[in-house]
Every structure is written in structure tokens, then in C-alpha cells.
Amino acid sequence: MGSDFLCRAETRRVLWVMGGVFAFSLLVQYFELPYGNFIGSLFSGLNSNRMNNNNTQINFTAGFDTKIKSGKPGVELLKPNRTLAPEGAKEFGNILKGHVVPMLEEKNKDDTVPLAANVESAPMIPLAPQIDDNLTASSNLATRSDEVAGIVPLASYVPSAPMIPPAPQVYDNLTAPSSSTTTRNVSASTVPLNSNDTIQLMNSLAPAVSLRHVDDNSTVLSSSRNAYGATPAPTEATGQLRNSLASSGNGYTMTKKTPVAKKESDKLVKGVVSISEMTNMLLQSHQSNLLTNPMWSSAGDEELLSAKSQIEIGANSISDLGLYAPVYHNVSRFKRSYELMEQNLKVYIYKEGKRPVFHQPPLKGIYASEGWFMKQLKASQHFLTNDPNKAHLFYVPFSSQILEQVVYVPGSHSFTNLKAYLKNYLDLIKGRYPFWNRTQGADHFLVACHDWAPEETRYEMANCIKSLCNADLKEGFKFGKDASLPETYIVSADTSRSLGGKRPSQRKFLAFFAGSMHGYVRPILLKHWQNKDPIMKIFGKMHNSDYIRHMKSSKYCICARGHEVNSPRVVEAISYECVPVIISDNFVPPFLETLNWESFAVFVQEEDIPNLKSILESIPLRRYLKLYNNVKKVQQHFLWHPESEKYDTFHMILHSIWYNRVFQIAS
């Protein structure tokens, strides 16, 4: 009897304990405490893993429940859902990391932003809307199966599918306006930004943009600057976000393209990058971080891979007496690459595009480089092909200068119209051809000299090879992908000029500068050196004939940045055999892939302007004579001719684009 009573009492005690635990669990779930969904999130992760194995699409909206206004027009951010437990989210990320993107695990272990991987068993092409010739979007979003049938499966277009807008790219002080507030299902091959990434993105939003006047007929956009005139550097997370977002089809998606390596990113956002550091960063970028895998292979890819191997194992001796070895990083490598370009390169020029923005660039003025390149490429039948299937590169033939003149709304202080115009054009060629989607634009290139070009092309054309005059590390210039375009001020269709100048012994002035007071550097230069020393000829604006005479009579010619990092004085100094002194922090000089700029130019940081004379006087005479001689040797690469000639500016621009494309191809 006693034992039965004790057994019943013990049973009641166990039942009370179990009931209490159950009641407490219900209470926790009711109040949605931070760890309330821990078990559920684990099961969600396991279920998602099984869905991945079945190639089923996953909706990642569970981690976000409301939108937060960012403070900028049209920009909204997703707020993390507080019911998603941190442990559950971490476990869920580990499951994805282990089963969806194993190939990227080692390469991206230090990256803040998770990357998406292409699922080879089910590749998908985001389809662009069909656009007619007048660049107006059609309402019919049809599958272009007739153009890509038999090459790669296409992603279906589901009108009712919810859409998730990606987090806007952040660059320096600007954010991209979001054009949609709907949500999208992300395929199983895509890893979204987590809540920490979103918070970092929110914290990196920066001040608004302002326009400032340049001369009488143009304006320049600049991000807000600090009291010293320097643009605040982006955070590490900002740079990683910027480099991991790319334009694709109907919207931005995370792609397999690897962002700038963390060590390189650190250099980009900390102070001034020296020319030596730039060279090292360029070599590192060609080794790993810009490799691309097209959605389907082509004969052109195999030819580029062959060229890459031949360049890497090129001979150590050359037979071309026209190349002076000391002005190149590796003259044999350049010689071999140039020869392979001449033998193999084929470029397809899109015929679409309404004039004058497309196919009709100006051939005079400060931005004339983009026009002369287009003119001479079209005249060079050797490099052109009418069959896009045989092309290694695709040229987007627009003029950044004409785009600004025709499309920009004066006083609007907005790039919206310019970006929309280019987006409509890209939608047109995406709809008519499969080539953009094959590489996400990595084998497409543009040549643009206007100051606004980096901003106009930052999003939709993010993966393109960009040859830019405004080659600024702080404006998103990417080593190993982009190329620096020499800015050449051309006043007439006759590009000939009185080259050369006086012998070194007859150059009586130590340094010379003259120009309008654009930007923040030139006023500082004049403040310290105008009328301060008889051998330092530092002026404001000057008549052209006096300007050339001073360049031909000076040992060093000061190439100080204006509103942007680039200046036509670099090319002018080389033309008149005056050693260029570049005062423009983080400016990437033209043809850096090939030329050893330290062999024929001097780089002075902006903060060292007060010490300019002592810096130049500290250069020994023997060193100056070498610089002077090397300027003469490199001169051939900075000349335009009515008909292009070997090693001239046209061929050097094309070689930089070719070289960067060759070293983006993954072996």
C-alpha cells in the first residue's frame, strides 16, 4: 500500500514538472523572446538544405519583416526580423556554406558579404525586357528561347513571384536609389546579405551629392568633402558590398564574381596609395580576384586562355628596337601580349544606339580621347568582326560627353536620366543578343573621358571593362579590370603638334604650372608658390602660346588635379619632353599594366605641396637626365595620328583592355 502511494506521488510530480516546462515554452513563444524560434530556425535550415538538393527555390524573406527609410529619395533598406534567432541564422548560414557554395568557402572566408555561386546543374539567365529601337520598354517580357536555345537553360519568368530588392550598392558618399519595393525569390544558388551586413550598410550611408561649376558650359558632380577637400573613404564593408553587387538582367543580383581581396580593399580605403603600391595591387588582382566563369564556353575563351599562357611564359628577350626596356615593367611580356593582340583580337561593335549619344562622339576638346578611339576602332578593320560569335570583346559605343550634353537636365543635380538612358540601351542589347548574359558583361567594354563616367556606369555596367580618364581609386576604379584612359586636349582634327622642347641644359625653370582654379589642389599650389621663387613658374590661366613655351623651357611640369584626378597636362608634359610631376592622390596613370611610371615621372602627394621645391631639387642631376630621356622614349604611346600607328595611343588603349580581359579568364 505504501509503495503504491509513493509511486502515484512520484508520477504526479513528474507530470507537474512536464506541464510546467510546456507552459513556460508557450509563454516564451507568446512573448517572442529572442531565442523563441531557435528550434524552428534549425528545422527551417535543415528543410532548406533538403530543398537545395532538389533544386527548389528558397525564399529568404524570413529574416526581414519591415522596410526602413534610408533618408535618401527612393532608397529603402530591409529591417532584420527579430524573431530569427542569431544562433538559428548562424546555423542556417553554415548549412548553406557547406552545401551550396563549397567552392568559395576558402577564398571568401574573410569577406563580410556572402557570395552567390552558380549552380552548374541548373544555370539561369535573367531575362531583360524587350526594348525597341527608340529605347522604350515593352510590356512583353518574353523568353528569347530562339536566341539561346540549346546553349543554356533559361530561368522562367513568373509574373506573380514576389521580388526582393537587393541592398543598394554603397560607394564613397553615395547610395543607389532603389527602383522597386517588391520582393523576389532568390534561387538556391544565391546567398543573401545577413542582418549584420544590412546594419553595416545602413551605417555607411553618407551625405548628399552636390554639383559644382566648371568653366562656362559644364558641371562636375562631387561627393561631400571634408574640411581639407578630401573625400571621406568608404568603410571596408562598403567596399565589399560595392564589389559584390552586379547588374544582371532585370535587376541586381549577387554573382559568382569575387570581390576585391580584403588586403587590397584595406589599401583602397586608407589614405593615399603610392604608385609602387598600385603596381603591386595590379599584379595581385591579375592573380586571383577578378577571374570570371562564363555561363557557357566559346571558342574565343579558349583563344584567350591560350594567349594568357603564352604571355605568362613569354620569352625574356625581344627583337623590337622600338621598345626601350627601362620604361616598361616587363618589356618582353608587353611585346608578346601586343603581338598576340594583333594576331587574334576581334571586337564586335553594337550597331544599336541613337545618335548623337551613340556612334557620334566629338573629336575636339578635353574629352576627345573617347571620340578618337571610337573613330579609329571603326576604321581599323583588322580588329573588327561582324560576327559577334567570333568576338573576344564587345564595344558599347557611347560618348559620355554627349550623354551629359543631351540627357542631363540642367539644375536637376541628378544622374537619374543619364543612368536610365544607358540602362535602356543595355536592356535593348540584352534583349536582342545573348552575349551580355553569357559573362554578365565581363567581356564588354566602354571608353569614356567625361568626369561623370564612373558614376554613370557604376551599376548597370559594373562588370564591364571601363577605360576611364577619371581613373580614381576612390571612385571605384578596379585594378585588373578597368583601364586608365589618357586625357588629351585636341583643338583640331589635325592631331600633329610641335613635339619636343629645349635640351636639359637650356631648361632654365625648375617647375611650371598654369591653369584655371578647378578643385581644391590648385589654389593650394598657387598659395604656396605663385610669385614666390623665380625658378618656380606657377601661374593661373595663361595664353596657349606662353603655356607651350614654358613647358618646353622647364625641367618639371606640374600636373595638378582639378575637380577630378585626371588632367591633360600629363600628356602635354610628355609631348614637350618635360618630366611630369603628378600631384593627384590615388590617380591611376594610363597604361599602368605596361608602363613603369616611376621611370619617367615624379609623384608628389597633395599634402607635400609646401615642400615641392625641395622635393624636386633633391632629385640628382643624373636621375633627372634619366627621367628626361625616358620621357622621350615613352612619347610614342601618347600620340594620336590621323591614321593609327603601331604602339600609339589608340593601340595602347586597346592593349590595356585586351590585357585585362585576358587575365580575367579563369584557367
Side-chain angles (χ1 to χ4, degrees), residues 66-369:
T66 57
K67 295 184 176 67
I68 307 172
K69 293 292 184 180
S70 69
K72 291 188 178 293
V75 178
E76 292 182 334
L77 299 176
L78 296 175
K79 178 181 178 181
N81 187 337
R82 62 188 177 91
T83 63
L84 181 61
E87 288 83 2
K90 182 177 180 181
E91 178 67 19
F92 186 47
N94 290 337
I95 292 171
L96 286 173
K97 184 177 180 182
H99 296 277
V100 180
V101 288
M103 292 184 298
L104 299 180
E105 179 178 357
E106 184 65 24
K107 183 180 290 186
N108 303 311
K109 62 183 178 181
D110 294 329
D111 291 342
T112 303
V113 182
L115 301 177
N118 292 326
V119 179
E120 296 181 0
S121 60
M124 304 181 72
I125 297 179
L127 296 178
Q130 302 300 306
I131 309 296
D132 57 24
D133 286 333
N134 58 7
L135 302 180
T136 303
S138 161
S139 60
N140 178 26
L141 295 175
T143 301
R144 303 280 302 181
S145 57
D146 57 328
E147 295 184 1
V148 292
I151 300 177
V152 63
L154 298 179
S156 303
Y157 173 69
V158 185
S160 61
M163 308 284 288
I164 294 180
Q169 295 187 28
V170 180
Y171 50 96
D172 297 348
N173 296 342
L174 311 176
T175 56
S178 173
S179 59
S180 173
T181 57
T182 56
T183 60
R184 182 198 299 185
N185 281 333
V186 182
S187 68
S189 63
T190 304
V191 182
L193 298 177
N194 58 34
S195 58
N196 290 333
D197 298 326
T198 307
I199 294 171
Q200 288 176 335
L201 179 62
M202 293 163 56
N203 291 336
S204 64
L205 295 178
V209 178
S210 63
L211 287 167
R212 57 181 186 267
H213 196 65
V214 182
D215 295 330
D216 296 328
N217 53 5
S218 63
T219 53
V220 165
L221 178 90
S222 67
S223 53
S224 300
R225 299 182 180 276
N226 60 28
Y228 299 97
T231 305
T235 64
E236 176 179 324
T238 297
Q240 290 171 336
L241 282 170
R242 177 202 309 150
N243 290 317
S244 61
L245 290 172
S247 167
S248 173
N250 298 325
Y252 298 107
T253 63
M254 300 293 290
T255 70
K256 187 176 179 181
K257 193 175 182 68
T258 308
V260 176
K262 186 174 182 181
K263 291 183 179 179
E264 181 176 320
S265 178
D266 289 342
K267 292 181 181 179
L268 291 178
V269 299
K270 291 183 180 178
V272 181
V273 181
S274 70
I275 188 66
S276 298
E277 290 175 312
M278 288 184 188
T279 302
N280 292 333
M281 292 162 65
L282 179 61
L283 295 176
Q284 292 171 9
S285 69
H286 279 153
Q287 292 173 4
S288 61
N289 70 318
L290 287 171
L291 299 181
T292 59
N293 288 309
M295 301 187 79
W296 64 89
S297 61
S298 71
D301 292 342
E302 296 301 319
E303 292 170 353
L304 291 175
L305 277 173
S306 175
K308 181 179 180 180
S309 63
Q310 292 182 63
I311 293 170
E312 289 175 334
I313 61 175
N316 293 322
S317 61
I318 63 167
S319 58
D320 193 334
L321 299 178
L323 300 177
Y324 183 62
V327 301
Y328 304 95
H329 294 305
N330 186 320
V331 67
S332 299
R333 189 181 180 97
F334 167 61
K335 174 68 174 177
R336 188 63 182 135
S337 177
Y338 191 95
E339 289 174 343
L340 290 168
M341 178 188 76
E342 287 187 316
Q343 295 168 12
N344 299 296
L345 177 60
K346 293 299 177 185
V347 178
Y348 181 78
I349 303 178
Y350 285 108
K351 297 176 176 60
E352 290 79 4
K354 186 177 180 180
R355 296 171 185 265
V357 174
F358 296 90
H359 300 286
Q360 193 175 332
L363 299 176
K364 299 179 183 179
I366 198 169
Y367 305 123
S369 291

Side-chain angles (χ1 to χ4, degrees), residues 592-660:
L592 184 61
E593 304 85 2
T594 298
L595 298 180
N596 177 14
W597 275 80
E598 291 179 285
S599 70
F600 60 89
V602 176
F603 292 79
V604 175
Q605 291 189 15
E606 295 166 8
E607 66 179 6
D608 288 331
I609 288 176
N611 305 316
L612 181 59
K613 182 182 177 183
S614 60
I615 290 173
L616 297 180
E617 287 186 328
S618 68
I619 299 174
L621 177 60
R622 176 179 292 184
R623 171 64 178 158
Y624 164 72
L625 292 176
K626 285 184 178 179
L627 292 169
Y628 168 82
N629 181 65
N630 290 347
V631 165
K632 296 176 68 174
K633 297 297 184 182
V634 81
Q635 194 178 75
Q636 63 176 327
H637 299 316
F638 294 90
L639 300 177
W640 290 101
H641 301 284
E643 295 183 5
S644 61
E645 299 180 5
K646 191 170 186 176
Y647 300 135
D648 67 358
T649 303
F650 165 73
H651 284 94
M652 291 297 289
I653 295 170
L654 194 60
H655 176 265
S656 289
I657 296 166
W658 149 268
Y659 189 84
N660 284 347

Side-chain angles (χ1 to χ4, degrees), residues 13-122:
R13 185 178 296 106
V14 171
L15 290 175
W16 273 106
V17 171
M18 292 176 63
V21 171
F22 181 75
F24 181 76
S25 299
L26 290 177
L27 185 66
V28 169
Q29 291 286 346
Y30 179 78
F31 286 103
E32 294 186 338
L33 295 178
Y35 296 87
N37 285 340
F38 174 66
I39 298 176
S41 64
L42 287 179
F43 284 118
S44 173
L46 294 173
N47 290 335
S48 300
N49 185 30
R50 288 193 291 270
M51 292 171 69
N52 286 344
N53 294 332
N54 295 326
N55 290 330
T56 306
Q57 287 192 328
I58 302 173
N59 191 326
F60 287 107
T61 54
F64 304 92
D65 56 8
T66 57
K67 295 184 176 67
I68 307 172
K69 293 292 184 180
S70 69
K72 291 188 178 293
V75 178
E76 292 182 334
L77 299 176
L78 296 175
K79 178 181 178 181
N81 187 337
R82 62 188 177 91
T83 63
L84 181 61
E87 288 83 2
K90 182 177 180 181
E91 178 67 19
F92 186 47
N94 290 337
I95 292 171
L96 286 173
K97 184 177 180 182
H99 296 277
V100 180
V101 288
M103 292 184 298
L104 299 180
E105 179 178 357
E106 184 65 24
K107 183 180 290 186
N108 303 311
K109 62 183 178 181
D110 294 329
D111 291 342
T112 303
V113 182
L115 301 177
N118 292 326
V119 179
E120 296 181 0
S121 60

